[in-house]
Amino acid sequence: MRSQTKNSSYKKMFSLIEESEDFYEVQIIERIKDDYDRFHKHDFVMFEKMKSTDNIQCPRCGSTKFISHGKDKNGSKRYKCKDCGKTFNVVSNSLFFSSKVNIKAWFAFLESLLSGTSMRTACIVSKISTVTGSEWMDKIFTTLKCYQDEIILNKEVYIDETYVHEDKSKIYHLEEIGKIKKVKKEPRGISRNKICILVATDKDKSFGEIVCHGRPKREINYQICKKHIQKNSTVIGDEDTSLTYTSKLMNWDRIQVKSYTEEAFEKLSPIDEVCNRFKFFINKHRGFKKDLLQDYINLFFFIDNEIHKENDIYKVTVNLLKRMFDIKIK
C-alpha cells in the first residue's frame, strides 16, 4: 500500500509542477493539488461531534473512566484511561483507525456511492486510488453485514425472485464434440449459472437475500421469509410454486398473479420497480467477484431503504458513517 500511494498518478502529476515550463499547465496542476490536499489532510475532528463522551470507552480495557489528555498533531482530542493508562482518541479501535485521509474524502466517497455511481467513479470524486477504494468497500460491507436482520415486513408484501449471472470463470458449459472443433454453449433458461435472489417489499422497506443457484428451493425460501415477513401477512406475487410451502407454514393470505399479463404489470409494479433498481445498481458495479454478491445486496437495500425514508443523500451518508463509527475492531 505504501509503494502504491507513493507511485500514484497524483504524485506523478504533482512532480510536474516544478518540471513543467508551461504556465497554464502548472496552474491547473496546482489547483488539482489544492483539491487533493483538502481530502488528504489528516483531520477527524468531525467524529468528535458525531460521538458524545458518554459512549467513549478505553480500547484496551473497556473502562469509561478517562481524562482529557491534550490533542494530537492533527488537532483531535486525546484521552487517557484512569485504569490502564492507555491514551486514545475517538477513532481508536474503530474502522477509521490509522486512516490516512480526511473525513471529507469519506463523505465524498460515500455520497458518490450512495448516489448510484460505481466504486471507480467514487474513487475519482474523493481523490483516492482504487486500491484504497476496495479497502473502503470492505469496511462498508463489514458495517452492513447484519443490516437486513433488522428488516421485518408486514401489511401487504410484494415478493418475487431476480437473477444475477455467475462469474464467467465459473460458468458451466455443455460440450458438443464435432468433427472439426469443440463448440461450447451456455445452457438456456434458468440454470445453475444464475444466482437466485429472493426480493420482497411492503412499499416502506425492502430486503433481498441469495437463495441458491438456479431455480429457488422451497426450504431456503421458508428460512428467509420467516426472518423477514410476519405470519398472517397478505403476500402478492406471481404463480411461483416454491412459495406454496412457505405460504402454508406462515398462514399467508396469498394473492397470485399470472406473469406477463396486464394484471401483473399493474399489481406487481412495486416489486418490479425494486428489482429494476437492483439490476441497475448491480450493472453499475459489474465485474466484482460473486462471492461478494450478498455484500452488494446489503449495500443496495441499505441505500434503497434509507433514501426512501430520509429522501436526503447527506442524511443517509451521515447515518452510514455513524454505523461505521460504532463498529469496533479487535
Side-chain angles (χ1 to χ4, degrees):
M1 173 62 75
R2 187 174 300 171
S3 60
Q4 184 275 335
T5 304
K6 183 178 180 181
N7 298 321
S8 68
S9 57
Y10 282 106
K11 297 292 185 181
K12 293 178 181 178
M13 182 190 298
F14 301 152
S15 67
L16 295 176
I17 294 178
E18 298 178 359
E19 299 174 5
S20 177
E21 296 180 357
D22 188 328
F23 174 76
Y24 294 103
E25 183 181 39
V26 171
Q27 275 196 326
I28 292 171
I29 295 175
E30 283 181 342
R31 288 182 182 179
I32 295 173
K33 187 175 185 303
D34 289 341
D35 199 26
Y36 179 89
D37 291 339
R38 181 168 62 90
F39 282 134
H40 290 75
K41 179 183 177 183
H42 302 181
D43 179 15
F44 287 90
V45 175
M46 186 174 293
F47 280 125
E48 296 171 1
K49 300 177 182 178
M50 294 172 60
K51 189 164 186 176
S52 66
T53 55
D54 296 336
N55 297 324
I56 297 177
Q57 295 180 345
C58 173
R60 177 185 290 172
C61 66
S63 173
T64 56
K65 299 177 182 178
F66 55 86
I67 58 174
S68 296
H69 194 67
K71 296 182 179 180
D72 61 18
K73 62 180 180 180
N74 302 316
S76 299
K77 292 182 180 177
R78 293 196 63 79
Y79 304 96
K80 185 174 182 179
C81 178
K82 290 183 177 180
D83 292 334
C84 67
K86 181 177 176 62
T87 58
F88 58 93
N89 58 17
V90 290
V91 296
S92 295
N93 206 33
S94 73
L95 290 173
F96 298 100
F97 180 68
S98 76
S99 180
K100 295 179 173 59
V101 292
N102 195 326
I103 188 62
K104 293 177 183 177
W106 272 101
F107 259 102
F109 181 83
L110 292 177
E111 279 193 322
S112 180
L113 195 68
L114 297 177
S115 298
T117 67
S118 65
M119 187 270 286
R120 186 176 293 274
T121 302
C123 290
I124 294 172
V125 170
S126 55
K127 308 294 187 299
I128 61 173
S129 70
T130 53
V131 175
T132 302
S134 297
E135 292 181 355
W136 286 14
M137 290 296 289
D138 288 340
K139 293 181 179 182
I140 294 170
F141 294 154
T142 299
T143 303
L144 299 178
K145 201 77 174 177
C146 301
Y147 166 72
Q148 293 199 79
D149 294 347
E150 309 166 6
I151 299 173
I152 299 177
L153 309 184
N154 50 27
K155 305 175 186 175
E156 287 189 344
V157 179
Y158 298 82
I159 193 167
D160 200 1
E161 299 93 19
T162 189
Y163 293 86
V164 173
H165 283 280
E166 181 59 278
D167 291 327
K168 288 185 178 180
S169 60
K170 296 181 181 178
I171 285 181
Y172 166 74
H173 292 94
L174 296 177
E175 297 181 355
E176 295 182 357
I177 308 299
K179 293 182 178 179
I180 301 175
K181 61 180 181 179
K182 183 185 294 186
V183 180
K184 291 185 177 181
K185 290 184 178 180
E186 291 187 23
R188 297 175 61 188
I190 300 174
S191 68
R192 68 176 187 177
N193 292 343
K194 293 183 179 180
I195 303 171
C196 177
I197 302 164
L198 187 67
V199 181
T201 181
D202 62 4
K203 295 184 179 180
D204 290 329
K205 50 191 176 298
S206 312
F207 79 86
E209 282 196 30
I210 294 175
V211 181
C212 58
H213 283 71
R215 294 190 178 277
K217 297 179 180 178
R218 65 176 193 171
E219 184 60 37
I220 302 177
N221 274 350
Y222 171 65
Q223 295 299 327
I224 293 173
C225 289
K226 75 176 185 178
K227 292 190 299 182
H228 297 291
I229 302 176
Q230 288 186 347
K231 288 187 175 182
N232 304 314
S233 297
T234 300
V235 177
I236 306 168
D238 58 16
E239 298 175 329
D240 184 2
T241 55
S242 67
L243 288 172
T244 304
Y245 175 75
T246 303
S247 178
K248 290 180 180 179
L249 291 179
M250 300 191 67
N251 196 27
W252 286 346
D253 180 12
R254 191 177 177 203
I255 301 174
Q256 299 183 68
V257 182
K258 189 174 181 179
S259 302
Y260 308 110
T261 62
E262 185 175 348
E263 183 185 15
F265 178 77
E266 293 176 357
K267 289 190 174 182
L268 301 182
S269 60
I271 189 65
D272 288 341
E273 289 172 3
V274 174
C275 290
N276 288 336
R277 290 196 297 270
F278 171 72
K279 288 180 179 178
F280 179 81
F281 172 84
I282 288 296
N283 286 335
K284 281 286 185 180
H285 295 272
R286 61 184 179 275
F288 65 90
K289 292 184 178 180
K290 294 306 184 292
D291 296 341
L292 299 174
L293 179 57
Q294 187 60 57
D295 291 321
Y296 277 93
I297 293 172
N298 294 339
L299 175 58
F300 166 76
F301 282 99
F302 173 82
I303 296 172
D304 204 58
N305 291 334
E306 293 299 317
I307 288 180
H308 176 77
K309 182 172 68 175
E310 300 289 353
N311 198 26
D312 187 335
I313 290 292
Y314 176 78
K315 289 182 179 178
V316 177
T317 304
V318 173
N319 185 2
L320 181 52
L321 273 171
K322 287 181 177 178
R323 283 175 174 267
M324 296 179 72
F325 190 74
D326 289 336
I327 298 294
K328 297 300 180 184
I329 59 176
K330 295 181 180 180

